[in-house]
Amino acid sequence: MLKTIAAAMLMSAAFVVTVYAQDGGKVTIVTSFSKDVTDPFKAGFEAANPGFTLDVQNKSTSSGVKYIDETKVNNQVDLFWASAPDAFDSLKSRELLAKFTPSVTGLPEKVGSYPVNDKDGYYFGFAASGYGIMSNDRYLEANDLPKPVEWSDLTKPEYHDHIAIAAPSRSGTTHLTIETILQGEGWDKGWATLKGIGGNLQQVTERSFGVPDAVNSGQTGIGIVIDFFAFSAQASGFPVSFAYPSVTTVVPANIGIVANAPNQAGAEAFVNYLLSEKGQAVLLEPAIRRLPINPALYEKAPEGFPNPYKDPRFQSMITFDSDVSKKRTDVVDTLYDQLISFQLDNIKGATKAIHEAEKAVAANEQAPARALLTEAHALIAAMPITADEAASQQIRDAFTGGEEKTARQAELEQKWAAFATEKYAAAKAKAEEALALVD
């Protein structure tokens, strides 16, 4: 009888262990990545880890950070998965990420000049990301446009109304691109470049993947994107090209376990899968085409695929300073919206007037007209605050939430919008005056 009871107990214990192994439960991920990226990883992870089910919740990077912060008391999220490293720094500083040591070892410490992983073990790079200019070859040919390769190219008159970008307030990758230009060129020159491009925009999309969709379809000819949007489009047969401008960066896209994750074991399993050779191989699938963090995978990459560990372009890219970005993220995004996104008609109108006057003055050069155009350019480029003010505690406090802060934020937004409206109207008037002098 005792042997029978013991045997039954052992069978029961075995049954419990088997059920646990076969039913690892739901693993919830908040991510900015589209289904084209997440679906292959979901299928691969669930096949490699029977019993676990990946629940993917898609949110913009900024919305994802806010969601995790707002639901921390009753957290239901296991993982945060996105491209922008400063978003992870923000979560880490708020103690919203859990420390972890992956089982995968031997991966590089840096990609380009940027650390692959958080030095304290709170988040991990799984792919390298570069930022640049995507263009539709057929569109360019049909509109007799040269292929742009530098940010400054996009400020030229011939590209007016041919460019798309996602709003940085809605896209972490666009924010990183904007911040890279500001860090690489400096605050004043960087904003002059961004406004020069802004005056040539055809559209500002709400999500980052709206830009490659517009370029792929020929709705517009040029898009400011993260590199893999162009590489996956090429793999799908779209006639597109991609250029890394000289002022750009390469940084890791990241994964981090959320603090107090409801399924810690599942979260750890997904991080380990993502960093494993099987997980890294998924990055090379045609629908994704991201740059693996594991150098060995480039032996399996398609011909012409960039290798950030060997391509000299990546070694000369600027080192992105996530600390600088983190201090002014909300301010930079709000400035872009108030000066460009929400002022699109005004800045485009002023820019077009300048382009037309520039052409006329070039054909009939006159000093007074040239002086007026110099003033018009300065009015477009003018900024309502300096770099130091953008990072100041006084301005930053207006964007940290709370009723009083919200009122201050609204006040700043109205002030910056009025500034832009006034400057663009004045710039347009100067350009029209210059044109009248030589017409």
Side-chain angles (χ1 to χ4, degrees), residues 156-173:
K156 296 176 180 177
E158 56 263 40
Y159 295 109
H160 186 75
D161 217 28
H162 293 298
I163 307 167
I165 191 172
S169 58
R170 302 278 298 172
S171 165
T173 55

Side-chain angles (χ1 to χ4, degrees), residues 250-271:
V250 58
V251 296
N254 300 282
I255 184 81
I257 299 175
V258 178
N260 301 313
N263 192 341
Q264 180 73 23
E268 293 177 2
F270 185 77
V271 173

Side-chain angles (χ1 to χ4, degrees), residues 134 209-219:
M134 176 181 180
F209 43 79
V211 177
D213 287 349
V215 176
N216 289 339
S217 66
Q219 182 182 348

Side-chain angles (χ1 to χ4, degrees), residues 2-343:
L2 290 174
K3 289 183 178 180
T4 303
I5 293 173
M9 290 176 64
L10 285 171
M11 287 179 65
S12 176
F15 176 73
V16 170
V17 170
T18 301
V19 169
Y20 180 80
Q22 290 180 352
D23 186 17
K26 181 175 71 172
V27 183
T28 301
I29 297 183
V30 167
T31 181
S32 61
F33 302 138
S34 68
K35 284 176 63 66
D36 289 342
V37 174
T38 61
D39 280 357
F41 279 105
K42 174 178 168 65
F45 170 71
E46 291 176 354
N49 296 271
F52 287 111
T53 301
L54 209 59
D55 175 34
V56 179
Q57 298 183 11
N58 184 271
K59 298 180 184 292
S60 69
T61 303
S62 57
S63 296
V65 170
K66 289 176 183 177
Y67 176 76
I68 291 172
D69 189 23
E70 290 170 355
T71 60
K72 60 189 174 187
V73 175
N74 186 29
N75 176 48
Q76 299 299 311
V77 178
D78 298 302
L79 294 152
F80 183 64
W81 192 23
S83 291
D86 48 347
F88 288 84
D89 278 343
S90 177
L91 289 173
K92 176 187 172 183
S93 68
R94 301 181 209 181
E95 299 183 346
L96 295 174
L97 295 178
K99 198 169 185 177
F100 174 58
T101 302
S103 62
V104 180
T105 59
L107 296 177
E109 293 184 1
K110 290 186 175 182
V111 56
S113 58
Y114 200 92
V116 169
N117 301 318
D118 172 50
K119 63 182 177 63
D120 298 317
Y122 285 93
Y123 56 88
F124 311 93
F126 74 94
S129 302
Y131 302 83
I133 304 168
M134 176 181 180
S135 54
N136 185 309
D137 299 337
R138 291 175 187 167
Y139 182 105
L140 296 185
E141 184 178 357
N143 289 275
D144 196 26
L145 294 171
K147 192 173 295 182
V149 296
E150 295 288 353
W151 301 124
S152 58
D153 290 340
L154 301 183
T155 68
K156 296 176 180 177
E158 56 263 40
Y159 295 109
H160 186 75
D161 217 28
H162 293 298
I163 307 167
I165 191 172
S169 58
R170 302 278 298 172
S171 165
T173 55
T174 306
H175 167 78
L176 196 149
T177 306
I178 299 303
E179 183 62 53
T180 296
I181 293 172
L182 294 177
Q183 291 186 23
E185 296 188 354
W187 183 262
D188 292 329
K189 187 174 185 296
W191 275 112
T193 297
L194 291 169
K195 288 185 174 187
I197 297 170
N200 282 342
L201 290 174
Q202 181 199 88
Q203 58 180 291
V204 179
T205 67
E206 288 192 358
R207 296 297 302 273
S208 56
F209 43 79
V211 177
D213 287 349
V215 176
N216 289 339
S217 66
Q219 182 182 348
T220 193
I222 300 161
I224 296 172
V225 300
I226 190 171
D227 52 12
F228 80 93
F229 280 143
F231 302 149
S232 60
Q234 290 170 341
S236 298
F238 289 102
V240 300
S241 299
F242 181 79
Y244 292 111
S246 55
V247 176
T248 192
T249 192
V250 58
V251 296
N254 300 282
I255 184 81
I257 299 175
V258 178
N260 301 313
N263 192 341
Q264 180 73 23
E268 293 177 2
F270 185 77
V271 173
N272 287 329
Y273 169 75
L274 197 59
L275 300 179
S276 72
E277 191 164 335
K278 279 187 178 180
Q280 290 283 288
V282 176
L283 292 167
L284 296 177
E285 291 189 11
I288 302 178
R289 287 290 162 88
R290 296 202 72 150
L291 308 180
I293 215 69
N294 186 339
L297 267 293
Y298 289 93
E299 296 178 5
K300 304 175 183 178
E303 185 177 355
F305 195 68
N307 183 338
Y309 299 106
K310 293 185 177 180
D311 190 325
R313 292 176 298 176
F314 290 85
Q315 309 313 312
S316 62
M317 291 178 180
I318 72 167
T319 301
F320 184 79
D321 191 327
S322 60
D323 288 334
V324 169
S325 178
K326 182 174 63 176
K327 289 177 182 177
R328 63 190 192 189
T329 295
D330 291 334
V331 180
V332 167
D333 289 350
T334 302
L335 280 168
Y336 192 94
D337 277 345
Q338 298 302 326
L339 304 180
I340 299 176
S341 301
F342 302 156
Q343 292 279 342

